Amino acid sequence: MRVRLVVTFVVVALISAVTATALAYRDARTAVLQRTQNAAVNDLRERVGVVAADVDLPPDERTLARFASKVSEGIGARIVVARYQDLSATSDTLAETEGRITAELRAAVRAGSGARFQRVEWRGEPYLVVGLPVTYADGDRRTSGLEVFAITALRAERDDTAALLDSVRAGIVPVVVLAAVLALLAAGTVLRPVRKLGRATRELATGDLGSRVAVRGHDELADLARTFNETADALQASDAELRAQEAKARRFVADVSHELRTPLAAMTMVATVLEEDADQLPPDAARAARTVGAETARLSRLVDDLMEISRFDAKAVRLNASVTDLADTVRASLALRGWTDRVTAELREGVRAVVDRRRVDVIVANLVGNALRHGAPPVTVTLAVDDGGEWVVLEVADHGPGLAPEARERVFDRFYKADAARTRSTDTDTDSGDRADSGDSGDSGGQGSGLGMAIALENARLHGGTIEVDQQPLGGAVFTLRLPLRTREEGE
């Protein structure tokens, strides 16, 4: 802003100075030349009037030369050329006049319409040529055929106007310097509150909602500062209200989840007993008992997920990290859930990193469980190290219909679930559409809580890593977990 303001001031000052110089030069040059032209015409007319009375017409060459010399002596020794029909005489016999008296000027003088003048350049020098027809003095104003031309050098006038131009041009530099100084002073005065406002805006953008600017004066900048402060006040109030509501919501979820665990424990025991005796019940009662057991287990998982999410929101989650063999961790996670025969594992041996083994197990369970529920076989789990040797890369890929672009953008959102009809049935092991939800850590064959993938991502971020989702070229989704291979806690 400062540079633009200074440049604008300088450009305006420069344009003004150049314009003023051009106008001054034009007016001065016109005035000087006009004065010289008027003096030359008047001097020639008066001198010819005096000398022409003693000239006999028609003149001979000697008379014509004497006439030219007398006229020249009376007008400051300018070069005078006298012409009468085919005769021509010059006051200075050594002067070359043909190149300075043009045919246009001769024609105008011969027409007998009064004095005529013309500025010409000859051999690099400027000249003023004045032509005058000599008329009779008997009142009829007829031309006598005698023509007089006076040649006046304009070197002095040219030098005067050039000197004026140089002096005016030399004044441009101080004007531009003065404009730059004034621009800097103006920029300091105008931009100082703008800089303060910009600094306060940056502080507000980084989260300092208490940032304010001092309001001085009653101009537009003061109005802008006042508006900024009002906006910051409103934003701070809204932020405080949202934080309070968010804290209440987190406490509510945590409290509800905690309160549900006790009755759920009792319901789970009853449901387990009913499921164990389901074979001895009538068909309808057996089906109801199994449904109660399945839904109770699903509700228990939902409560556990809500408790886990609430701990992440409360920043109460801590890593219990240690040096861990990641290939063994992945194999153990698959074996624990009975997925070893359903998943193709390509695990690089000897990959060790400082991680929380339980949380890595949660990530693997959610990614693989999501692929089994919503993808199609074969499901592949690949463990490797990136080319730079800084990251552990775990890929979980399936060959199902994959994820639509809008689903890929929201798959890690909490409670994100698509239409239940899109979930692949584990009973038929066929695909009925796109992947249905953001997953959770089991393989229930139906809709999950929609929290599993969000929990997996939070656990990855807790390790300093991330999870990305993409589409395979031949179909199917691929989830990529990236974790730092080494940390400051590594003890190898």
Side-chain angles (χ1 to χ4, degrees), residues 68-90:
S69 297
K70 288 183 178 181
V71 172
S72 176
E73 292 171 0
I75 59 175
R78 297 185 182 100
I79 300 174
V80 176
V81 178
R83 298 176 64 88
Y84 184 83
Q85 297 180 359
D86 295 335
L87 294 178
S88 177
T90 306

Side-chain angles (χ1 to χ4, degrees), residues 20 44 64 100 109 121 144-145 166-167 170 192 264 319-320 337 345 349 351 355 435 469 477 486:
L44 181 62
L64 204 60
R100 286 179 273 189
V109 172
E121 184 141 347
S144 63
D166 291 339
S167 62
R192 188 177 299 111
L264 269 176
L319 283 178
N320 183 20
R337 294 162 179 83
E349 300 295 337
V351 179
V355 296
R435 304 169 80 89
V469 60
R486 295 182 177 86

